[in-house]
Amino acid sequence: MLYWIFQSYYRKNQKPKAQLLDRVKMTQSVSFKDLDIYQHVNNARYLNKYEIARWHFCIQTGLTKFLLEQRIQFIVVGAELSYIKELKWREKFQIHTQLVGADDKYVYFEQTIHSNGKIKNHGMFKVLFLQKKNKLSPAEIFQMMGVNNPPPQLPAHFEAWQKTIQEKKQYTKSLA
């Protein structure tokens, strides 16, 4: 993982290849270490694949360089995955990553895994920015980066996910 971060940092003069709101694609293939006993990708490995693809997104858009220079942490605080169809050994696939929206506190990424013309997995990720233990709003991040457009409104399926998260928080509090 650190490889991706340092790769971006040491390429300071490289211009970003994508805009912050673009969909960025990354190609990978299933290796033997990704497999579980059933010979398909273990559920936990999808999170790792998505993490690598998010850092790839950050590198391609210049976000990693900005975060490192400003000493801002990029922390996933929520995730929801849908396992649609299995990936098997040596299967090539592409991960699509896009920053799809923001609210007052968080930015949201949508990621999908594509193989053989089909979506195999769908992920939604909620990300928080911290600088010296202070939360930074998405609007602050966009402004600091010189992005003139405000973060887009959340798509409906992300708003539904947010509602579910709030209901889960209330339920969890009731268990204490």
Side-chain angles (χ1 to χ4, degrees):
M1 205 65 61
L2 287 174
Y3 168 79
W4 291 98
I5 298 167
F6 288 120
Q7 179 186 27
S8 173
Y9 185 74
Y10 288 114
R11 292 183 178 177
K12 290 181 179 179
N13 297 326
Q14 181 179 331
K15 293 193 182 243
K17 296 178 181 175
Q19 298 295 312
L20 199 55
L21 300 176
D22 288 349
R23 177 175 293 155
V24 174
K25 299 175 184 179
M26 178 182 200
T27 301
Q28 295 187 29
S29 62
V30 177
S31 70
F32 186 74
K33 68 182 179 184
D34 295 325
L35 302 178
D36 61 16
I37 197 165
Y38 303 111
Q39 299 180 16
H40 59 76
V41 175
N42 179 283
N43 291 352
R45 295 296 291 171
Y46 284 93
L47 289 168
N48 183 261
K49 300 288 186 190
Y50 280 137
E51 175 93 10
I52 291 168
R54 273 193 310 280
W55 281 112
H56 177 73
F57 171 91
C58 291
I59 291 167
Q60 296 301 309
T61 60
L63 184 57
T64 304
K65 178 183 169 200
F66 167 77
L67 295 173
L68 290 170
E69 288 174 349
Q70 298 295 318
R71 298 192 188 320
I72 297 172
Q73 294 174 301
F74 176 82
I75 301 169
V76 173
V77 296
E80 192 282 327
L81 297 172
S82 296
Y83 301 93
I84 299 164
K85 187 130 174 81
E86 66 185 3
L87 287 171
K88 296 190 175 191
W89 187 35
R90 295 187 176 171
E91 186 172 348
K92 290 186 193 273
F93 61 92
Q94 199 174 56
I95 300 178
H96 297 200
T97 302
Q98 187 170 16
L99 192 161
V100 294
D103 58 22
D104 293 341
K105 296 180 184 178
Y106 308 101
V107 295
Y108 298 86
F109 285 88
E110 185 163 41
Q111 294 183 274
T112 49
I113 293 178
H114 300 252
S115 180
N116 300 319
K118 296 181 179 167
I119 294 178
K120 302 283 186 119
N121 194 289
H122 177 266
M124 299 188 296
F125 297 88
K126 179 178 175 179
V127 175
L128 173 69
F129 294 102
L130 288 178
Q131 187 178 44
K132 296 179 183 174
K133 298 186 180 183
N134 296 314
K135 294 177 183 178
L136 297 174
S137 72
E140 289 174 293
I141 294 294
F142 274 55
Q143 184 180 29
M144 289 169 72
M145 289 187 72
V147 176
N148 297 326
N149 300 331
Q153 290 285 85
L154 285 177
H157 60 291
F158 275 82
E159 288 181 6
W161 179 45
Q162 278 302 90
K163 184 179 177 188
T164 301
I165 290 171
Q166 293 305 317
E167 290 171 359
K168 283 174 61 178
K169 279 184 182 178
Q170 291 301 319
Y171 173 72
T172 304
K173 286 179 183 177
S174 74
L175 295 176

